[in-house]
Amino acid sequence: MTTDVITTPKAPLTTGARGSNGTGHRPGEKSFGAGRVIAFAILIVLAIAWLLPFAWAIVTSLKSETDAASSASWIPENGFTLGAYSQVLAEGNIPLWTVNSILTAVVITALTVATGALAAYALSRLDFAGRRTWYIAIVAAIIVPPQVLIIPLFYQALAFNTVDTYLGLILPQVVAPAMVFILAKFFDQVPIELEEAARVDGASRLRVFWSIVLPLSRPILAAVSIFVFISAWNNFLWPFLVVNDTSLMTLPVGLQTVKSAFGVQYAQNMASAILAALPLIIVFLFFQRQIIKGISTTGLGGT
Amino acid sequence: MTTSTVSNRAVASAGPAARKAAGPARNRRRSTLTGYAFMAPFLVFFLLFLIWPVVHGVYLSFTNQSLTGSGGQIIGFSNYLEAFTDSQMWGAILNTLWFTLLSTVPLVLIALAMALLVQMGLPAQWLWRLSFFMPFLLASTVVSLIWAWLFNPSLGLINSFLATFGIEGVAWLQDPRWSMVSIVIATVWWTVGFNFLLYLAALQNIPDQQYEAAALDGAGKWRQLFSITIPQLAPTTVLILILQVLASLKVFDQIYQLLNQAITPSTRSAVVYIFETGFTGYRFGYSSAISYIFFALIIIVSLVQLRATSRKSL
């Protein structure tokens, strides 16, 4: 029953997100008319509205605290300064939290994708007792909101003594049934002939998986990895609950303490926000195409 | 979840594995071993951090367990009975539904408008995509820091912008009449990029021939939009709606962070209330009961949505 919740809306979308993300010219739409001018104007207004918060945060972060707290002007009376940044970097823990964020997000992504791909391959290709039951359980689990589990998960962390440890921070974030489902759907579509040929030649299942299936699945593995990485990088609730030790905090959690610590230091608040946002935005600028493709592919349920 | 474990032959549609279902018993045992060898790493995490908490949470909801370790006796349905007469819980659920409605409508419509406009092939494609999607890459705390500053009543950009038009600003986050709207505004800015990308991907999959044929038949741009584009996007719209409603129902981060822990009865969401009863009230048992009431709500909403949309999309 719960299976349908997940599969039915996605079923019609098996061809989704294949299109290139290049410019989307439609034949016949290239003429310049009043319609295009209006559309262009609306786009510009929307883009400004979406970029303005960034711009305002950057400008504020470059002000002195006095200027930031005196008026909402774009040009500070006393000129621009990097003071807030040097203050934040010198007094705060942002470099440490960045390292923690990279570490946790990388480990979570690696574990999620590795365990998920193996399981998805088994669900898609191998015949074993209980396969159907596990498949249904995993698909049904997609609907379980992680927020509903915070109490038992925290209770478990207390029992395992993993509160305020990397283990307690990382391991509970390594379950992504939706990603298993997406990968299994992808493996279902990989032609089986290559694998069968290799099996006839005596290759083991693991060998087939490693040297035939995985190379064929690079795009979907990249998509899933990107999605998992971004979710892990930005995850707030669980790291916030399980970590109290400042030296173990990830960027999103650490930033929450900055707000209360710096209080009304607006320039420093914005400098912290920019510094915390920077790593992922830089990665995005370099891998824009792959990230956009990865997010839309995963969001549309694979393929 | 109660399906028989030996009915593999019935799942012909689920993959080629089913083809080999009728092997000799020994092969069968062997392949079961291989299967579980592949499944094992995932199952460890799945059982430990998903299935077990789901089960244990149900148990906790029938106890008076506290965060401090005291309690833990089974008290039957007391937590549930208390929850059903707890006006704060009902308030939190109503707020959650209200937030879901307020946020989902613009998050779908603005995303659609953005995707349609970008898809027209106007210059500076990368710029539009960058502007609309970049906020989605930010952590909730970054978003909250920036928007708390934008919403600042005296120094914030929004009120000073309104002032240039002679409009007197409001205390966005502090005024109970505006705080939920403010949360919605920040949320739309933050997450619309995800829906925008899904729409954009779907738009690129509509075959050009359909537009060419329509153009030959003399259909104008607006006609094409409503008779080709919007209907072709229906499955994507259904998907986005479902994902968005589920995401909005789980709202926590923005509310908790933007309101700086000064959450009022008019802004308390269901997850915020779960968090408060569990981690500031220390009532793990009661919090678990509320979690499951909330979970039931999510399942009900999903089923209602499915029923409402399946007729249209399939």
Side-chain angles (χ1 to χ4, degrees), chain A residues 8 15 17 19-21 23-26 28-29 36 50 56 60 72 125 127-132 134 151-152 155-156 205 234 236 240 252 256 259 266 270 280 284, chain B residues 5 8 11 16-17 20 28 31-32 36 48 53 56 119-121 125 129-130 137 139 141 145 149-150 155 189 203-206 208 221 253 256-257 287-288 314:
Chain A
T8 322
T15 54
S20 75
N21 274 294
T23 56
H25 286 281
R26 291 269 180 229
E29 275 189 329
R36 278 176 76 81
W50 254 254
W56 182 238
T60 306
R125 283 288 200 261
D127 174 34
F128 57 96
R131 171 175 155 274
R132 189 179 150 77
W134 285 119
I151 299 290
Y155 191 88
Q156 188 187 49
R205 275 289 176 193
N234 286 334
F236 175 74
F240 170 66
Q256 177 72 10
K259 192 161 52 180
Y266 301 117
M270 288 308 107
L280 212 50
F284 179 67
Chain B
T5 50
N8 277 357
V11 288
K20 296 181 189 162
R28 179 72 218 232
S31 64
T32 292
Y36 279 96
L48 205 55
H56 191 226
Q119 181 68 6
M120 288 178 75
Q125 286 285 314
R129 240 170 268 173
L130 190 76
L137 294 170
T141 24
L145 273 176
W149 178 226
L150 290 166
L155 297 161
W189 179 81
L203 275 174
Q204 282 159 357
N205 282 324
I206 303 177
D208 285 343
K221 286 287 172 302
D253 295 14
Y256 183 76
Q257 295 158 4
S287 184
S288 300
L314 297 176

Coordinates of all heavy atoms in Angstrom, one line a residue, chain A residues 8 15 17 19-21 23-26 28-29 36 50 56 60 72 125 127-132 134 151-152 155-156 205 234 236 240 252 256 259 266 270 280 284, chain B residues 5 8 11 16-17 20 28 31-32 36 48 53 56 119-121 125 129-130 137 139 141 145 149-150 155 189 203-206 208 221 253 256-257 287-288 314:
Chain A
T8 N 3.9 5.3 -7.8 CA 3.0 5.7 -8.9 C 3.3 7.0 -9.5 O 3.3 7.2 -10.7 CB 1.5 5.6 -8.3 OG1 1.4 4.5 -7.5 CG2 0.5 5.5 -9.4
T15 N 11.2 8.7 -18.3 CA 12.1 9.3 -19.3 C 12.6 10.7 -18.8 O 13.2 11.4 -19.5 CB 11.4 9.5 -20.6 OG1 10.2 10.2 -20.4 CG2 11.1 8.2 -21.3
A17 N 14.3 13.9 -17.2 CA 15.6 14.5 -16.9 C 16.7 13.9 -17.8 O 17.9 14.1 -17.5 CB 16.0 14.2 -15.4
G19 N 17.1 15.0 -20.9 CA 17.5 16.1 -21.8 C 18.7 16.8 -21.3 O 19.0 16.8 -20.1
S20 N 19.5 17.3 -22.2 CA 20.6 18.0 -21.8 C 20.2 19.3 -21.1 O 19.0 19.7 -21.3 CB 21.4 18.4 -23.1 OG 20.8 19.5 -23.7
N21 N 21.0 19.8 -20.3 CA 20.7 21.1 -19.7 C 21.2 22.3 -20.4 O 21.5 23.3 -19.8 CB 21.1 21.0 -18.2 CG 20.1 20.3 -17.4 OD1 19.0 20.9 -17.2 ND2 20.4 19.2 -16.8
T23 N 21.1 25.2 -23.4 CA 20.0 26.2 -23.6 C 18.8 25.6 -24.3 O 19.0 24.8 -25.2 CB 20.6 27.4 -24.4 OG1 21.0 26.9 -25.7 CG2 21.6 28.1 -23.7
G24 N 17.7 26.0 -23.8 CA 16.5 25.3 -24.3 C 15.8 26.1 -25.4 O 14.6 26.5 -25.2
H25 N 16.4 26.3 -26.5 CA 15.7 27.0 -27.6 C 14.6 26.1 -28.2 O 14.8 24.9 -28.4 CB 16.7 27.3 -28.7 CG 17.6 28.5 -28.4 ND1 17.1 29.8 -28.4 CD2 18.8 28.5 -27.9 CE1 18.1 30.5 -28.0 NE2 19.2 29.8 -27.7
R26 N 13.5 26.7 -28.4 CA 12.4 26.0 -29.1 C 12.4 26.6 -30.5 O 12.4 27.8 -30.6 CB 11.1 26.2 -28.5 CG 10.9 25.6 -27.1 CD 10.4 24.2 -27.3 NE 10.2 23.5 -26.0 CZ 10.7 22.3 -25.8 NH1 11.3 21.6 -26.7 NH2 10.5 21.8 -24.6
G28 N 10.9 28.3 -33.5 CA 9.7 29.1 -33.6 C 9.5 30.1 -32.5 O 8.6 30.8 -32.4
E29 N 10.4 30.0 -31.5 CA 10.3 30.9 -30.4 C 11.4 31.9 -30.4 O 11.6 32.6 -29.4 CB 10.3 30.1 -29.1 CG 9.0 29.6 -28.7 CD 9.0 29.0 -27.3 OE1 10.0 28.5 -26.8 OE2 7.9 29.1 -26.7
R36 N 8.5 38.4 -25.6 CA 9.9 38.1 -25.1 C 10.5 39.2 -24.3 O 11.2 38.9 -23.3 CB 10.8 37.8 -26.3 CG 10.6 36.3 -26.8 CD 11.5 36.1 -28.1 NE 12.9 36.0 -27.8 CZ 13.4 34.8 -27.3 NH1 12.7 33.8 -27.1 NH2 14.7 34.7 -27.1
W50 N 16.2 37.2 -6.3 CA 16.9 36.0 -5.7 C 18.3 36.3 -5.4 O 18.9 35.6 -4.5 CB 16.7 34.8 -6.7 CG 15.7 33.9 -6.1 CD1 16.0 32.7 -5.6 CD2 14.3 34.0 -6.0 NE1 14.8 32.1 -5.1 CE2 13.8 32.9 -5.4 CE3 13.4 35.0 -6.4 CZ2 12.4 32.7 -5.1 CZ3 12.0 34.8 -6.1 CH2 11.6 33.7 -5.5
W56 N 23.2 41.6 -0.4 CA 23.1 42.4 0.9 C 23.9 41.8 2.0 O 24.6 42.5 2.8 CB 21.6 42.4 1.3 CG 21.3 43.2 2.5 CD1 20.7 42.7 3.6 CD2 21.6 44.6 2.8 NE1 20.6 43.7 4.6 CE2 21.2 44.9 4.1 CE3 22.2 45.6 2.0 CZ2 21.3 46.1 4.6 CZ3 22.4 46.9 2.6 CH2 21.9 47.1 3.9
T60 N 27.0 43.7 3.7 CA 27.0 43.9 5.2 C 28.3 43.3 5.8 O 28.8 43.9 6.7 CB 25.8 43.2 5.8 OG1 24.6 43.7 5.2 CG2 25.7 43.4 7.3
A72 N 20.7 51.1 6.8 CA 20.6 50.0 5.7 C 21.1 50.6 4.4 O 20.5 50.3 3.4 CB 19.2 49.6 5.6
R125 N 19.1 -7.7 -9.3 CA 19.7 -8.7 -10.1 C 19.7 -10.1 -9.4 O 19.7 -11.1 -10.1 CB 21.1 -8.4 -10.5 CG 21.2 -7.4 -11.6 CD 20.8 -8.0 -12.9 NE 21.4 -7.2 -14.0 CZ 20.7 -6.3 -14.7 NH1 19.4 -6.1 -14.4 NH2 21.2 -5.7 -15.7
D127 N 18.7 -13.3 -7.0 CA 17.5 -14.0 -6.5 C 17.8 -14.6 -5.1 O 18.6 -15.5 -5.0 CB 17.2 -15.1 -7.5 CG 16.0 -16.0 -7.0 OD1 15.1 -15.4 -6.4 OD2 16.0 -17.2 -7.3
F128 N 17.1 -14.1 -4.1 CA 17.4 -14.7 -2.8 C 16.1 -14.6 -2.0 O 15.3 -13.8 -2.2 CB 18.5 -13.9 -2.1 CG 18.3 -12.4 -1.9 CD1 17.8 -11.9 -0.8 CD2 18.6 -11.6 -3.0 CE1 17.6 -10.6 -0.6 CE2 18.4 -10.2 -2.8 CZ 17.9 -9.7 -1.6
A129 N 16.1 -15.5 -1.0 CA 14.9 -15.6 -0.2 C 14.7 -14.3 0.6 O 15.6 -13.8 1.2 CB 15.0 -16.8 0.8
G130 N 13.5 -13.8 0.5 CA 13.2 -12.5 1.2 C 13.4 -11.3 0.4 O 13.2 -10.2 0.9
R131 N 13.9 -11.5 -0.8 CA 14.2 -10.3 -1.6 C 13.0 -9.3 -1.7 O 13.1 -8.1 -1.5 CB 14.6 -10.8 -3.0 CG 14.7 -9.6 -4.0 CD 15.3 -10.2 -5.3 NE 14.9 -9.3 -6.4 CZ 13.7 -9.4 -7.1 NH1 12.9 -10.4 -6.7 NH2 13.4 -8.6 -8.0
R132 N 11.8 -9.9 -2.1 CA 10.6 -9.1 -2.3 C 10.2 -8.4 -1.0 O 9.9 -7.2 -1.0 CB 9.5 -10.0 -2.7 CG 8.3 -9.2 -3.2 CD 7.2 -10.2 -3.6 NE 5.9 -9.6 -3.4 CZ 5.4 -8.6 -4.2 NH1 6.0 -8.1 -5.2 NH2 4.2 -8.1 -3.9
W134 N 12.2 -7.4 1.5 CA 13.2 -6.3 1.7 C 12.9 -5.2 0.8 O 12.9 -4.0 1.2 CB 14.6 -6.8 1.5 CG 15.1 -7.6 2.7 CD1 15.5 -8.9 2.6 CD2 15.2 -7.2 4.1 NE1 15.9 -9.3 3.9 CE2 15.7 -8.3 4.8 CE3 14.9 -6.0 4.7 CZ2 15.9 -8.3 6.2 CZ3 15.1 -6.0 6.1 CH2 15.6 -7.1 6.8
I151 N 13.7 11.0 18.6 CA 13.7 10.6 20.0 C 14.3 9.2 20.1 O 15.3 9.0 20.9 CB 12.2 10.6 20.5 CG1 11.7 12.0 20.5 CG2 12.1 10.0 21.9 CD1 12.3 13.0 21.5
P152 N 13.8 8.2 19.4 CA 14.5 6.9 19.5 C 15.9 6.9 19.1 O 16.8 6.2 19.7 CB 13.6 5.9 18.7 CG 12.8 6.8 17.9 CD 12.6 8.1 18.6
Y155 N 17.9 8.3 22.0 CA 17.9 7.3 23.0 C 19.0 6.3 22.7 O 19.7 5.9 23.6 CB 16.5 6.7 23.1 CG 16.3 5.9 24.3 CD1 15.8 6.4 25.5 CD2 16.5 4.5 24.3 CE1 15.6 5.6 26.6 CE2 16.3 3.7 25.4 CZ 15.8 4.3 26.6 OH 15.6 3.5 27.7
Q156 N 19.0 5.9 21.5 CA 20.0 4.9 21.0 C 21.4 5.4 21.2 O 22.3 4.7 21.7 CB 19.7 4.5 19.6 CG 20.5 3.4 19.0 CD 20.3 3.3 17.5 OE1 20.4 4.3 16.8 NE2 20.0 2.1 17.0
R205 N 30.1 -12.7 -8.9 CA 29.1 -11.7 -8.8 C 29.7 -10.3 -8.5 O 29.4 -9.3 -9.1 CB 28.0 -12.0 -7.8 CG 26.9 -12.9 -8.2 CD 26.0 -12.1 -9.2 NE 25.0 -13.0 -9.7 CZ 24.2 -12.7 -10.7 NH1 24.4 -11.5 -11.4 NH2 23.3 -13.5 -11.2
N234 N 24.3 20.0 4.5 CA 23.4 21.0 5.1 C 22.5 20.4 6.2 O 21.7 21.2 6.7 CB 22.5 21.5 4.0 CG 23.2 22.5 3.0 OD1 24.2 23.1 3.4 ND2 22.8 22.6 1.8
F236 N 20.8 19.7 9.5 CA 20.9 20.4 10.7 C 20.4 19.7 11.9 O 21.1 19.6 12.9 CB 20.0 21.7 10.6 CG 20.0 22.5 11.8 CD1 21.1 23.3 12.3 CD2 18.8 22.6 12.6 CE1 21.0 24.0 13.5 CE2 18.7 23.3 13.8 CZ 19.8 24.0 14.2
F240 N 22.7 18.8 15.2 CA 22.4 19.7 16.2 C 22.0 19.0 17.5 O 22.4 19.5 18.6 CB 21.2 20.6 15.7 CG 20.6 21.5 16.8 CD1 21.3 22.5 17.3 CD2 19.3 21.3 17.2 CE1 20.8 23.4 18.3 CE2 18.7 22.2 18.1 CZ 19.5 23.2 18.7
P252 N 26.6 24.0 9.7 CA 25.3 24.5 10.0 C 25.0 24.6 11.5 O 24.4 25.5 12.0 CB 24.3 23.4 9.4 CG 25.2 22.8 8.3 CD 26.6 22.8 8.8
Q256 N 24.7 28.2 14.2 CA 23.6 28.4 15.1 C 24.2 29.0 16.4 O 23.5 29.9 17.0 CB 22.8 27.1 15.3 CG 21.7 27.2 16.3 CD 20.5 28.0 15.8 OE1 20.5 28.3 14.6 NE2 19.6 28.4 16.6
K259 N 25.3 32.8 16.0 CA 24.3 33.8 16.1 C 24.1 34.3 17.5 O 24.0 35.4 17.8 CB 23.0 33.2 15.5 CG 22.0 34.2 15.2 CD 20.9 33.7 14.3 CE 20.3 32.4 14.7 NZ 19.3 31.9 13.7
Y266 N 26.2 42.4 13.4 CA 25.6 42.1 12.1 C 26.7 41.7 11.1 O 26.5 40.8 10.3 CB 24.7 43.2 11.6 CG 23.6 43.5 12.5 CD1 23.5 44.8 13.2 CD2 22.6 42.6 12.8 CE1 22.5 45.1 14.0 CE2 21.6 42.9 13.7 CZ 21.5 44.1 14.3 OH 20.5 44.4 15.2
M270 N 27.1 38.1 9.1 CA 27.0 38.0 7.7 C 28.3 37.4 7.2 O 28.3 36.5 6.2 CB 26.7 39.3 7.0 CG 25.3 39.8 7.1 SD 24.0 38.5 6.7 CE 23.4 38.1 8.3
L280 N 30.4 25.2 -0.7 CA 29.5 24.5 -1.6 C 29.2 25.3 -2.8 O 29.0 24.8 -3.9 CB 28.2 24.2 -0.9 CG 27.4 22.9 -1.3 CD1 28.4 21.7 -1.4 CD2 26.2 22.6 -0.4
F284 N 29.9 24.3 -6.6 CA 28.8 24.5 -7.5 C 29.2 25.2 -8.8 O 28.9 24.8 -9.9 CB 27.6 25.2 -6.9 CG 26.4 25.4 -7.8 CD1 25.7 24.3 -8.3 CD2 26.1 26.7 -8.3 CE1 24.6 24.5 -9.2 CE2 25.0 26.8 -9.1 CZ 24.3 25.8 -9.6
Chain B
T5 N 8.1 -14.8 2.1 CA 9.5 -14.6 1.6 C 9.8 -15.5 0.4 O 10.9 -15.4 -0.1 CB 10.5 -14.9 2.8 OG1 10.1 -16.2 3.3 CG2 10.5 -13.8 3.8
N8 N 9.0 -15.2 -4.8 CA 9.8 -14.4 -5.7 C 9.3 -14.5 -7.2 O 9.5 -13.6 -8.0 CB 11.3 -14.9 -5.7 CG 12.0 -14.2 -4.6 OD1 11.4 -13.3 -3.9 ND2 13.3 -14.5 -4.4
V11 N 7.2 -11.7 -8.8 CA 7.7 -10.4 -9.1 C 8.4 -10.2 -10.4 O 9.4 -9.5 -10.5 CB 8.6 -9.9 -7.9 CG1 7.8 -9.6 -6.7 CG2 9.7 -10.8 -7.7
P16 N 15.2 -9.0 -13.7 CA 15.6 -10.2 -14.3 C 15.8 -11.3 -13.3 O 15.9 -12.5 -13.7 CB 16.9 -9.9 -15.1 CG 17.0 -8.4 -15.0 CD 16.2 -8.0 -13.9
A17 N 16.1 -11.0 -12.1 CA 16.4 -12.0 -11.1 C 15.3 -13.1 -11.1 O 15.6 -14.3 -10.8 CB 16.5 -11.4 -9.7
K20 N 15.4 -16.6 -12.9 CA 16.1 -17.8 -12.4 C 15.5 -18.4 -11.2 O 16.1 -19.2 -10.5 CB 17.6 -17.4 -12.1 CG 18.3 -16.9 -13.3 CD 19.8 -16.5 -12.9 CE 20.5 -15.8 -14.0 NZ 21.6 -15.1 -13.5
R28 N 19.9 -22.3 -5.2 CA 19.0 -21.4 -4.5 C 19.7 -20.9 -3.2 O 19.7 -19.7 -2.9 CB 17.7 -22.1 -4.3 CG 16.6 -21.3 -3.6 CD 16.1 -20.3 -4.5 NE 15.8 -19.1 -3.7 CZ 14.7 -18.5 -3.7 NH1 13.7 -18.8 -4.5 NH2 14.5 -17.5 -2.9
S31 N 22.6 -18.7 -4.0 CA 22.3 -17.3 -4.5 C 21.7 -16.5 -3.3 O 21.8 -15.3 -3.3 CB 21.3 -17.4 -5.7 OG 20.1 -18.0 -5.3
T32 N 21.0 -17.2 -2.4 CA 20.5 -16.5 -1.2 C 21.7 -15.9 -0.4 O 21.7 -14.8 0.1 CB 19.7 -17.4 -0.3 OG1 18.5 -17.7 -1.1 CG2 19.3 -16.7 1.0
Y36 N 22.4 -12.0 0.3 CA 22.6 -11.3 1.6 C 24.0 -10.8 1.8 O 24.1 -9.8 2.6 CB 22.2 -12.3 2.7 CG 20.7 -12.3 2.9 CD1 19.9 -13.3 2.3 CD2 20.0 -11.3 3.6 CE1 18.5 -13.3 2.4 CE2 18.7 -11.3 3.7 CZ 17.9 -12.3 3.1 OH 16.6 -12.3 3.2
L48 N 19.5 -0.9 12.0 CA 20.0 -0.2 13.2 C 19.4 1.2 13.3 O 19.1 1.6 14.4 CB 21.5 -0.2 13.2 CG 22.2 -0.1 14.6 CD1 21.7 -1.2 15.5 CD2 23.7 -0.2 14.3
P53 N 14.7 2.2 15.3 CA 14.1 3.4 15.9 C 12.6 3.5 15.7 O 11.9 3.9 16.6 CB 14.8 4.5 15.2 CG 16.1 4.0 14.7 CD 15.9 2.5 14.5
H56 N 11.2 1.0 18.2 CA 11.5 1.4 19.6 C 10.7 2.7 19.9 O 10.2 2.9 21.0 CB 13.0 1.7 19.8 CG 13.4 1.9 21.2 ND1 14.2 2.9 21.6 CD2 13.0 1.2 22.3 CE1 14.3 2.8 22.9 NE2 13.6 1.8 23.4
Q119 N 13.2 28.5 -20.0 CA 13.1 27.6 -21.2 C 12.8 28.4 -22.5 O 13.1 27.9 -23.6 CB 12.0 26.6 -20.9 CG 11.8 25.6 -22.0 CD 12.9 24.6 -22.1 OE1 13.8 24.7 -21.3 NE2 12.9 23.8 -23.2
M120 N 12.4 29.7 -22.4 CA 12.2 30.4 -23.6 C 13.5 30.7 -24.4 O 13.5 31.1 -25.5 CB 11.5 31.8 -23.3 CG 10.1 31.6 -22.9 SD 9.3 33.2 -22.5 CE 9.1 33.9 -24.1
G121 N 14.6 30.4 -23.8 CA 15.9 30.5 -24.5 C 16.4 31.9 -24.5 O 17.1 32.3 -25.5
Q125 N 21.5 32.2 -20.0 CA 20.9 31.0 -19.3 C 21.6 30.7 -18.0 O 20.9 30.4 -17.0 CB 21.1 29.8 -20.3 CG 20.1 29.9 -21.5 CD 18.7 29.5 -21.1 OE1 18.5 28.5 -20.4 NE2 17.8 30.3 -21.5
R129 N 19.8 30.3 -14.1 CA 19.9 29.0 -13.3 C 20.6 29.2 -12.0 O 20.2 28.7 -11.0 CB 20.6 28.0 -14.2 CG 19.7 26.8 -14.5 CD 20.2 25.9 -15.5 NE 19.7 26.3 -16.8 CZ 20.2 25.8 -17.9 NH1 21.2 24.9 -17.9 NH2 19.7 26.2 -19.1
L130 N 21.7 29.9 -12.1 CA 22.6 30.2 -10.9 C 21.7 30.9 -9.9 O 21.7 30.5 -8.7 CB 23.8 31.0 -11.4 CG 24.9 31.2 -10.4 CD1 25.7 29.9 -10.3 CD2 25.8 32.3 -10.8
L137 N 21.5 25.5 -2.2 CA 22.8 24.9 -1.7 C 23.1 25.4 -0.3 O 24.1 24.9 0.2 CB 23.9 25.3 -2.7 CG 23.8 24.7 -4.1 CD1 24.9 25.3 -5.0 CD2 24.0 23.2 -4.0
A139 N 23.0 26.0 3.7 CA 22.4 25.3 4.9 C 21.3 26.2 5.5 O 21.3 27.4 5.3 CB 23.5 25.1 5.9
T141 N 20.9 27.2 8.4 CA 21.4 28.3 9.3 C 21.9 29.5 8.6 O 21.8 30.6 9.0 CB 22.5 27.7 10.2 OG1 23.1 26.6 9.6 CG2 22.0 27.3 11.6
L145 N 20.4 33.2 9.0 CA 21.2 34.3 9.4 C 20.9 35.5 8.4 O 20.6 36.6 8.8 CB 22.7 34.0 9.3 CG 23.3 33.4 10.6 CD1 24.8 33.1 10.3 CD2 23.3 34.5 11.7
W149 N 18.5 39.0 9.1 CA 19.1 40.3 8.9 C 18.2 41.1 7.9 O 17.9 42.3 8.1 CB 20.5 40.2 8.4 CG 21.3 41.4 8.0 CD1 22.0 41.5 6.9 CD2 21.4 42.6 8.8 NE1 22.6 42.8 6.9 CE2 22.2 43.4 8.1 CE3 20.9 43.1 10.0 CZ2 22.6 44.7 8.5 CZ3 21.2 44.3 10.4 CH2 22.0 45.2 9.7
L150 N 17.7 40.5 6.8 CA 16.8 41.2 5.9 C 15.5 41.6 6.5 O 15.0 42.7 6.2 CB 16.5 40.2 4.7 CG 17.6 39.9 3.7 CD1 17.2 38.7 2.9 CD2 18.0 41.1 2.8
L155 N 16.8 48.0 10.7 CA 18.0 48.1 9.8 C 17.9 47.1 8.6 O 18.8 47.1 7.7 CB 19.3 47.7 10.5 CG 19.6 48.6 11.7 CD1 20.6 47.9 12.7 CD2 20.2 49.9 11.2
W189 N 12.3 31.5 -1.1 CA 13.6 31.9 -1.6 C 14.6 30.7 -1.5 O 15.4 30.5 -2.5 CB 14.1 33.1 -0.8 CG 15.5 33.6 -1.3 CD1 15.7 34.4 -2.4 CD2 16.8 33.3 -0.7 NE1 17.1 34.6 -2.5 CE2 17.7 34.0 -1.5 CE3 17.2 32.6 0.4 CZ2 19.1 33.9 -1.2 CZ3 18.5 32.5 0.7 CH2 19.5 33.2 -0.1
L203 N 10.6 20.1 -18.8 CA 10.4 20.9 -20.0 C 11.2 20.5 -21.2 O 10.8 20.5 -22.3 CB 10.6 22.4 -19.7 CG 9.5 23.1 -19.1 CD1 9.9 24.5 -18.7 CD2 8.3 23.2 -20.0
Q204 N 12.5 20.1 -20.9 CA 13.4 19.8 -21.9 C 13.1 18.5 -22.6 O 13.7 18.1 -23.6 CB 14.9 19.9 -21.4 CG 15.3 21.3 -21.3 CD 16.5 21.5 -20.4 OE1 16.9 20.6 -19.7 NE2 16.9 22.8 -20.3
N205 N 12.2 17.7 -21.9 CA 11.9 16.4 -22.5 C 10.6 16.4 -23.3 O 10.2 15.4 -23.9 CB 11.6 15.4 -21.3 CG 13.0 14.9 -20.8 OD1 13.9 14.8 -21.6 ND2 13.0 14.8 -19.5
I206 N 10.0 17.6 -23.5 CA 8.8 17.7 -24.3 C 9.3 17.8 -25.8 O 10.1 18.7 -26.1 CB 7.9 18.9 -24.0 CG1 7.5 18.9 -22.5 CG2 6.7 19.0 -24.9 CD1 6.7 20.1 -22.1
D208 N 10.1 18.6 -29.5 CA 9.9 19.9 -30.2 C 8.8 19.7 -31.3 O 8.1 20.6 -31.6 CB 11.2 20.2 -31.0 CG 12.2 20.8 -30.0 OD1 11.8 21.2 -28.9 OD2 13.4 20.9 -30.3
K221 N 1.4 31.2 -29.0 CA 2.2 30.8 -27.9 C 1.4 30.4 -26.7 O 1.7 29.5 -26.0 CB 3.2 31.9 -27.6 CG 4.3 32.1 -28.6 CD 5.3 31.0 -28.4 CE 6.3 31.0 -29.5 NZ 5.8 30.9 -30.9
D253 N 13.8 23.6 10.7 CA 15.0 24.5 10.8 C 14.7 26.0 10.8 O 15.1 26.7 11.7 CB 15.9 24.1 9.6 CG 16.4 22.7 9.6 OD1 15.9 21.9 10.4 OD2 17.4 22.4 8.9
Y256 N 12.7 27.3 13.9 CA 13.6 27.2 15.1 C 14.6 28.3 15.0 O 14.9 29.0 16.0 CB 14.2 25.8 15.2 CG 15.0 25.7 16.5 CD1 14.3 25.5 17.7 CD2 16.4 25.7 16.5 CE1 15.1 25.4 18.9 CE2 17.1 25.6 17.6 CZ 16.4 25.4 18.8 OH 17.2 25.3 20.0
Q257 N 15.3 28.4 13.9 CA 16.4 29.4 13.8 C 16.0 30.8 13.6 O 16.5 31.7 14.3 CB 17.3 29.0 12.6 CG 18.0 27.6 12.8 CD 18.4 27.0 11.5 OE1 18.3 27.6 10.4 NE2 18.9 25.8 11.6
S287 N 6.9 12.8 23.7 CA 7.3 13.2 22.4 C 7.2 12.2 21.3 O 6.9 12.4 20.2 CB 8.8 13.7 22.6 OG 9.3 14.2 21.4
S288 N 7.5 10.9 21.7 CA 7.4 9.8 20.8 C 5.9 9.7 20.3 O 5.6 9.4 19.1 CB 7.8 8.5 21.4 OG 9.1 8.6 21.8
L314 N -2.7 9.5 -14.4 CA -2.4 8.2 -15.0 C -3.5 7.8 -16.1 O -4.6 8.3 -16.0 CB -2.4 7.1 -13.9 CG -1.2 7.4 -13.0 CD1 -1.3 6.4 -11.8 CD2 0.1 7.3 -13.7

